[in-house]
Amino acid sequence: MKVLAERLIERDVSLRPFNTFGVDANAALYARIRSLEDLQRVLADRRVLGMPLLILGGGSNVLFTQDFDGCVLKVEISGVQRADDGVRWRVQVGAGENWHALVERLLDDGVPGLENLALIPGSVGAAPIQNIGAYGVELAERFHSLQAWNFATQTLQTLTADECRFGYRDSAFKHETEPRLIVNVTFALPRQWAPVVGYTDVENELRERNIQQPRPRDVFDAVVSIRRRKLPDPARVGNAGSFFKNPVISRAQRSALIERHPSLVSYDIGGGRYKLAAGWLIDACGLKGTVRGRAAVYDKQALVLVNLGGASGADILALAREVQEAVLARFNIELEPEPRIL
Ligand SMILES: Cc1cc2nc3c(=O)[nH]c(=O)nc-3n(C[C@H](O)[C@H](O)[C@H](O)COP(=O)(O)OP(=O)(O)OC[C@H]3O[C@@H](n4cnc5c(N)ncnc54)[C@H](O)[C@@H]3O)c2cc1C
């Protein structure tokens, strides 16, 4: 069915329901993109031509600090297709599919591999942007390729993992001046499944459940229950998960820090590099539970900033800056925000 661009584009739309921080901001134009054809129609519309564009999935990794004077492209492209070459499943998924629903649906269909990434909010299309990761698994390890619409060349491109240049909460997409809209993502999930349970929290959870040889569903259940305990549910308390990336430092920097702070939490990630627990750094500055107006550092996990109800994006950003300054003053480490700040 052909839908006219007229009907796809709305004016002056509140983005409050479309960001998990639940902050107020308006978009001058807002278009729901359910297919590549919708996208092309919207981009050719005279109202959109020349306007700034913002691609939005579930809004769980963005912080709006002002109105957006451009066109929001809300990606709602659906569809899941599966093929099996005997060694691995290839699953191609529309960018607008909900991430957690996909993980659960694949498990129900006997296709494991994404269970460690259960309960991460947001859409499939956004997952490659920051190479989502949790409990010992990153998207990059289960990724085959993706298709993205290149705004500059106006072509649909296929990108391999190498071309996406995945890193820790990072990818090529985060460094582009001309955005590309991810239309679908293809996963490669080995048929020979092995649990990833080295992460202490997962190990402990399975031990408490008395599970020695976990099945995919056991890992899924363990991850879901850990996350429910540790992280605020955005449906109740506005947040974007971890607000800061865990900083990566050199061996020399780590040694100097440990001399002054013997209980510093760090993980060896190879190549003489160490990842620090940003939550520990913030906690050590005494900021866990800090409330500034209606914005707060979550009292159960210092890495998460929350909207207690009625905070603006600017309030949350001001608190984030306060946290950054405190960590810089005490540890001489610059915390980098994880969500995209607009
Ligand atoms: C409670 C909570 C827990 C979280 N836990 C984790 C976690 O464990 N690990 C983790 O990695 N993240 C976590 N996150 C962050 C977030 O869920 C992920 O980054 C998720 O992938 C964002 O998806 P989204 O659809 O909401 O993206 P959005 O917030 O809508 O967008 C994020 C970025 O991706 C871009 N984008 C979105 N869709 C597309 C597309 N189709 N094409 C091109 N660009 C696009 C946007 O322009 C924006 O720059 C958590 C967030 C919350 C609220």
Side-chain angles (χ1 to χ4, degrees):
M1 190 184 67
K2 282 205 167 179
V3 183
L4 293 171
E6 257 336 284
R7 305 236 307 267
L8 292 173
I9 303 170
E10 294 169 60
R11 271 185 198 282
D12 203 24
V13 170
S14 166
L15 297 173
R16 192 169 173 180
F18 307 121
N19 74 94
T20 59
F21 261 122
V23 297
D24 271 328
N26 276 11
L29 297 177
Y30 176 92
R32 296 171 69 184
I33 307 296
R34 296 189 193 125
S35 64
L36 199 52
E37 291 70 37
D38 281 356
L39 177 64
Q40 285 161 341
R41 247 171 251 136
V42 167
L43 294 178
D45 189 276
R46 70 193 146 69
R47 290 164 297 174
V48 176
L49 285 174
M51 272 210 144
L53 301 173
L54 171 66
I55 305 166
L56 196 62
S60 64
N61 214 21
V62 290
L63 175 62
F64 291 109
T65 60
Q66 55 187 344
D67 289 340
F68 183 68
D69 194 16
C71 183
V72 166
L73 304 171
K74 175 81 166 70
V75 181
E76 297 183 358
I77 301 168
S78 60
V80 180
Q81 281 166 7
R82 225 167 63 206
D84 177 0
D85 66 8
V87 181
R88 58 183 68 83
W89 287 283
R90 287 263 170 91
V91 191
Q92 188 182 76
V93 188
E97 293 283 346
N98 176 273
W99 176 264
H100 177 72
L102 172 74
V103 175
E104 203 164 22
R105 171 175 170 179
L106 289 177
L107 264 193
D108 287 345
D109 291 351
V111 181
L114 298 177
E115 54 286 340
N116 291 60
L117 303 173
L119 221 59
I120 297 181
S123 62
V124 167
I129 304 292
Q130 72 154 0
N131 181 22
I132 57 168
Y135 301 101
V137 173
E138 278 185 348
L139 170 107
E141 298 163 65
R142 307 285 185 263
F143 179 89
H144 177 266
S145 59
L146 60 75
Q147 287 190 299
W149 180 259
N150 185 323
F151 289 82
T153 60
Q154 300 197 21
T155 52
L156 188 65
Q157 301 178 320
T158 300
L159 279 85
T160 61
D162 280 351
E163 289 166 320
C164 290
R165 298 201 309 274
F166 292 122
Y168 164 61
R169 298 295 173 275
D170 200 23
S171 72
F173 300 97
K174 281 198 165 183
H175 307 280
E176 288 175 325
T177 42
E178 192 71 42
R180 284 187 271 202
L181 186 145
I182 296 173
V183 174
N184 59 57
V185 182
T186 301
F187 301 91
L189 305 170
R191 291 189 60 101
Q192 196 125 35
W193 179 82
V196 179
V197 291
Y199 208 91
T200 316
D201 279 353
V202 179
E203 226 170 38
N204 291 343
E205 184 74 24
L206 290 169
R207 193 174 311 115
E208 269 168 38
R209 291 166 180 237
N210 213 5
I211 296 171
Q212 273 101 37
Q213 288 180 320
R215 293 161 304 147
R217 179 60 69 170
D218 297 322
V219 178
F220 174 89
D221 289 343
V223 168
V224 165
S225 108
I226 298 164
R227 293 186 71 103
R228 288 220 165 105
R229 248 187 350 252
K230 288 196 150 182
L231 291 166
D233 176 0
R236 288 193 210 150
V237 186
N239 76 95
S242 304
F243 197 90
F244 300 102
K245 289 186 184 183
N246 289 319
V248 174
I249 59 169
S250 67
R251 183 172 292 136
Q253 282 173 298
R254 176 178 172 268
S255 307
L257 274 171
I258 286 209
E259 240 172 64
R260 279 183 291 133
H261 310 280
S263 54
L264 183 87
V265 177
S266 67
Y267 309 93
D268 187 346
I269 56 167
R273 314 283 291 160
Y274 290 82
K275 199 185 270 182
L276 300 182
W280 185 91
L281 299 173
I282 300 166
D283 204 2
C285 292
L287 289 169
K288 195 194 260 182
T290 298
V291 178
R292 296 282 181 261
R294 304 302 297 155
V297 179
Y298 190 48
D299 54 6
K300 292 199 197 104
Q301 165 57 274
L303 199 48
V304 178
L305 302 187
V306 294
N307 178 0
L308 298 172
S312 67
D315 296 336
I316 293 163
L317 188 59
L319 177 60
R321 296 226 164 102
E322 184 182 334
V323 169
Q324 284 173 308
E325 278 160 24
V327 170
L328 185 64
R330 190 168 158 89
F331 297 103
N332 197 26
I333 285 184
E334 278 184 46
L335 289 184
E336 193 188 328
E338 193 181 288
R340 178 164 170 198
I341 295 166
L342 291 144

